[in-house]
Amino acid sequence: MSLKQTFCAFELLDSATVNGDDVVALFANYPTVSATSVRVTGTRGSSDFVRIKIPGSRGKICSGHAPTLGIIGRLGGVGARPSRIGLVSDADGAIAAIACGLKLADMQQKGDVLPGDVIITTHICPNAPTRPHSPVDFMDSPIDDAPMGQNEAIPEADAILSLDTTKGNRIINHKGYALSPTVKEGYILRVAEDLLRIMEMTSGRRAVTFPITMQDITPYGNGIHHINSIMQPSTSTMAPVVGVAICTESVVPGCATGASHETDIALVVKFAIEVAKEFGNGICNFYDADEYARLLALYGSMSHLQSVK
């Protein structure tokens, strides 16, 4: 179960004074886990970028060869103070990412060590700005897009799950979470069958996916509409990226308070943990390598979509 870790992360982040050091302190009793925090200052304030490394029994941290899973908690900020009091809906990605770290650390301490490394990043800002967006306002970030991407990037990752609140749209009409197609170097590939299987296994329900467009996989700041920032990690890596959207049936602004649902976040954590188990063991594929090679041979690289022209 991942509810305990989800509640722990939720309660920690629901504070006007929370920072990255508070998150790092959660892992003080796990000597094999590395947790660090770096404060980055931008044009509209600052945010603390947290990085959590959970080594696997055969992972690269220990000079092994098991693949590394990256988990990114995407968001603008966990709070929009002073205009909003309390934890905002946009915080779900950070809550889920931290809860994943806590669950994996607890498992490791109890003897359940995954084969591959898992590296988790997110950032903590309780007073982020907001910005207009249709159909509802978005949470913005105090950090510009370039340093945001640099500080959340996981270059060691062989595949990445991007966890992000995705409620401010009319595209996803489902309460819970949904998966995107895999994105790799500018290509939108088919939805990964292994991830669909794991989703159905862990949720006990039929898999739910959501559409993304070419616009969504281009970098922020190019003047083009994006569903939100969930696919932004795909613009700065060669690894395959899948968006895990925490979603609702209704349209909810990212800056809304009282709009997070702990049980939905816990389902995402459980899904990510099971993906980490199978991916590190080499039995979960994010994409078909042969089919991707065929696309490159037929149509060439699409990596130019990863940069702002």
Side-chain angles (χ1 to χ4, degrees):
M1 294 293 290
S2 53
L3 274 172
K4 175 183 175 181
Q5 290 78 19
T6 301
F7 284 131
C8 179
F10 191 100
E11 288 299 317
L12 176 73
L13 297 186
D14 192 11
S15 166
T17 60
V18 67
N19 58 44
D21 289 340
D22 296 327
V23 177
V24 170
L26 291 176
F27 297 89
N29 294 324
Y30 301 103
T32 60
V33 175
S34 167
T36 58
S37 175
V38 175
R39 178 158 296 181
V40 178
T41 300
T43 57
R44 299 175 299 278
S46 63
S47 191
D48 293 349
F49 285 83
V50 175
R51 187 171 298 262
I52 306 159
K53 296 184 178 182
I54 301 98
S57 60
R58 295 184 279 109
K60 299 171 188 174
I61 293 175
C62 300
S63 301
H65 300 286
T68 298
L69 179 67
I71 298 174
I72 299 176
R74 282 290 308 172
L75 71 159
V78 299
R81 299 172 180 88
S83 63
R84 303 285 195 281
I85 296 176
L87 197 71
V88 296
S89 173
D90 206 44
D92 291 1
I95 296 169
I98 295 167
C100 284
L102 287 172
K103 180 61 178 178
L104 288 167
D106 188 57
M107 288 169 56
Q108 191 170 91
Q109 192 173 67
K110 294 176 179 177
D112 283 334
V113 182
L114 272 60
D117 303 333
V118 179
I119 301 177
I120 300 165
T121 65
T122 192
H123 71 101
I124 309 300
C125 179
N127 50 6
T130 62
R131 66 180 174 89
H133 184 272
S134 178
V136 292
D137 288 350
F138 269 176
M139 285 292 293
D140 204 351
S141 170
I143 311 301
D144 292 335
D145 297 326
M148 172 74 76
Q150 292 165 4
N151 283 278
E152 73 174 11
I154 307 175
E156 309 97 317
D158 297 294
I160 292 173
L161 294 176
S162 175
L163 318 181
D164 197 354
T165 314
T166 311
K167 304 173 184 176
N169 63 83
R170 295 188 177 92
I171 305 301
I172 311 175
N173 302 308
H174 165 76
K175 184 179 182 297
Y177 72 100
L179 303 181
S180 79
T182 298
V183 175
K184 179 171 168 57
E185 298 179 81
Y187 271 101
I188 300 175
L189 305 174
R190 62 183 291 194
V191 179
E193 290 289 340
D194 285 335
L195 298 184
L196 293 176
R197 171 179 55 79
I198 294 172
M199 183 184 195
E200 292 181 336
M201 177 181 68
T202 55
S203 69
R205 303 174 68 95
R206 292 177 180 175
V208 179
T209 63
F210 68 97
I212 54 175
T213 66
M214 298 295 283
Q215 293 98 308
D216 296 323
I217 66 169
T218 60
Y220 262 22
N222 59 5
I224 294 174
H225 184 275
H226 296 71
I227 185 172
N228 69 351
S229 69
I230 190 167
M231 303 312 301
Q232 286 303 290
S234 71
T235 66
S236 57
T237 182
M238 296 175 64
V241 176
V242 169
V244 184
I246 303 165
C247 48
T248 48
E249 292 182 9
S250 59
V251 180
V252 178
C255 56
T257 56
S260 293
H261 305 275
E262 297 90 333
T263 52
D264 292 343
I265 300 171
L267 280 175
V268 169
V269 175
K270 184 162 60 169
F271 166 78
I273 297 299
E274 294 304 315
V275 171
K277 291 178 186 178
E278 293 201 13
F279 184 74
N281 207 28
I283 55 174
C284 173
N285 294 314
F286 276 51
Y287 71 106
D288 185 319
D290 292 336
E291 191 166 77
Y292 179 69
R294 177 66 173 162
L295 282 170
L296 289 176
L298 287 172
Y299 305 110
S301 171
M302 296 290 283
S303 62
H304 58 278
L305 291 173
Q306 294 178 286
S307 61
V308 178
K309 295 296 185 182

